[in-house]
Each structure stands twice: as C-alpha cells, then as structure tokens.
C-alpha cells in the first residue's frame, strides 16, 4: 500500500515526505522508490532511466511499472522548468543534451508543449534554435499559484464525488435489515417471557 500511495502525489509533483522512506520496516522495500522520487524531484531523466533499468523487475512484481513509466513526462517537465530557471537563454541542442533526448527537434517539441501547458514562461526562436526565458520576479504575479490551487481543489472535489458515489445504496436496500412480522412477534414473545421470569425471581414468596 505505501508503494501505491506514492503515486497519488507524484503525478501532481507532490514529493512524499522523507520520513516515509525512513520507516524502519519499509526502508529496504521503498529504497528503489526513494531513488525514483529523487529523480522526479530534480528532473533528472538519466537517473530516472537508470533506476527503471536497475529495479524494473521489482517494479513489475509490485505492479507499479506502468505507473512509473507515466512519470517520465513529469521528470522532463521538471527538468525543463529547472533549466529555464537557471538560464535565460539556452539552445535547444543543449536542452536535448541535458534532458538526454534524442535530438534538438525532440527538445523543441517538448519545450513547445511545456510553454503551451504553462509549465514555463518562455518563447522559442525557431530560426536561432534557442529558448528565451522571460524574467519572472514574483511568482505570485503569475497564474501559477492559482493553477496549482485549482488542480488540487479539482482533485479533492473529484475524490469526494467518487466517494459519495461509492457509498450510495440501491433503492429500498435498508428493508433487508428490517424485521419481518414473524420475527417481530417472536422477539416480543421472548421479551415477555423474559420479563415474567425476572418478575418471578424478584418475588420472595
């Protein structure tokens, strides 16, 4: 269960607390997932691929392999964000090298998608083959806090809605818990007999 809980927050860039990985009886079992989390946190695609290659068989036994593969996009997205924070201008070839992508064309496609999704605030110079990041002095002057809050609120509302749907009962389902007339008469008879026996015990004469 703890292994699956990691994937509740990781797709939304919520890094699990380090204390989870330090739990004595879980430390050894969660070590591959700790290494995976570190790669996701820093956006290191090379480390991410190395962890999958090293522990792929264990991930498949845990039935988490498919979920882990889906995190690749998050790793790349985090890597692009960190690159744009570090460089105001960088070539697409350098981006491809840092993210260990196959070509500058792949980097251009991924960066364009990140710009469209609002992951980074930058522009691509297709003729020059570089990314130009826009200076952001105050993150609260952008839409990022609002979008982050909206994402988390939507997740909570969906979780609540799904929980309510799961707790719904079929119409008149409560009736199977009600007494039938025969059961009620039998219960009343037993209560009457028990009351009479108790009265007889209380009478000393």
């Amino acid at each position: 269960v703890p292994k699956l809980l990691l994937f509740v927050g990781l797709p939304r860039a919520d890094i699990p607390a380090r204390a989870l990985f330090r739990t004595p009886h879980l430390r050894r079992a969660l070590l591959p997932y700790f290494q995976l989390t570190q790669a996701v946190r820093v956006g290191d695609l090379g480390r991410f691929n190395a962890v999958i290659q090293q522990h792929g068989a264990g991930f498949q036994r845990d039935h988490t392999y498919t979920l882990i593969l889906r995190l690749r996009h998050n790793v790349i997205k985090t890597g692009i964000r960190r690159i744009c924070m570090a460089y105001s201008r960088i070539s697409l070839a350098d981006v491809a090298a840092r993210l260990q992508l196959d070509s500058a064309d792949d980097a251009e496609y991924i960066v364009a998608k990140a710009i469209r999704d609002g992951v980074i605030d930058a522009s691509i110079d297709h003729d020059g083959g570089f990314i130009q990041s826009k200076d952001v002095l105050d993150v609260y002057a952008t839409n990022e806090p609002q979008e982050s809050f909206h994402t988390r609120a939507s997740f909570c509302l969906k979780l609540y809605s799904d929980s309510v749907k799961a707790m719904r009962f079929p119409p008149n389902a409560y009736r199977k818990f009600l007494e039938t007339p025969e059961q009620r008469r039998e219960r009343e008879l037993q209560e009457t007999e028990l009351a009479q026996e108790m009265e007889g015990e209380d009478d000393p004469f």
Side-chain angles (χ1 to χ4, degrees):
V1 175
K3 297 175 183 178
L4 295 177
L5 288 177
L6 297 174
F7 296 96
V8 175
L10 280 178
R12 295 181 289 111
D14 288 342
I15 304 301
R18 188 179 292 266
L20 174 64
F21 301 101
R22 292 178 176 175
T23 306
H25 65 283
L26 296 175
R27 180 178 300 177
R28 184 174 181 179
L30 292 182
L31 179 59
Y33 294 90
F34 175 72
Q35 298 173 352
L36 188 74
T37 301
Q38 291 295 93
V40 174
R41 184 180 65 84
V42 300
D44 190 335
L45 187 60
R47 187 191 300 184
F48 179 79
N49 291 333
V51 173
I52 292 179
Q53 185 175 4
Q54 181 179 358
H55 302 287
F59 293 148
Q60 290 179 352
R61 286 195 301 270
D62 295 338
H63 303 290
T64 57
Y65 188 76
T66 303
L67 295 173
I68 290 172
L69 292 182
R70 293 180 181 178
L71 293 176
R72 184 176 185 272
H73 175 70
N74 296 72
V75 177
I76 295 175
K77 184 169 63 175
T78 302
I80 292 175
R81 187 185 294 115
R82 292 174 68 90
I83 289 173
C84 290
M85 290 176 60
Y87 299 93
S88 60
R89 178 174 173 174
I90 185 172
S91 68
L92 292 170
D94 288 340
V95 173
R98 290 176 179 275
L99 295 179
Q100 298 188 8
L101 301 175
D102 295 333
S103 65
D105 292 336
D106 290 343
E108 183 176 358
Y109 170 78
I110 292 174
V111 170
K113 187 175 186 304
I115 294 174
R116 185 177 68 251
D117 294 343
V119 176
I120 58 175
D121 191 8
S123 59
I124 301 176
D125 188 318
H126 300 281
D127 296 331
F130 62 85
I131 307 171
Q132 183 70 49
S133 300
K134 298 179 182 179
D135 294 333
V136 178
L137 301 179
D138 183 8
V139 69
Y140 292 101
T142 68
N143 292 330
E144 183 174 347
Q146 178 183 354
E147 293 173 355
S148 178
F149 178 79
H150 175 72
T151 300
R152 299 188 181 201
S154 299
F155 173 79
C156 293
L157 291 173
K158 185 177 184 303
L159 180 62
Y160 172 78
S161 178
D162 293 342
S163 301
V164 171
K165 291 179 182 179
M167 291 188 295
R168 288 179 179 171
F169 294 96
N172 300 324
Y174 68 93
R175 291 186 177 179
K176 66 180 180 180
F177 299 105
L178 299 179
E179 291 180 324
T180 62
E182 293 78 8
Q183 292 174 334
R184 185 171 61 254
R185 285 194 296 269
E186 183 178 355
R187 177 178 56 80
E188 292 174 351
L189 179 61
Q190 292 176 351
E191 292 176 352
T192 302
E193 293 176 352
L194 179 61
Q196 291 176 350
E197 291 178 1
M198 293 178 65
E199 289 178 359
E201 293 176 357
D202 293 338
D203 188 358
F205 303 103

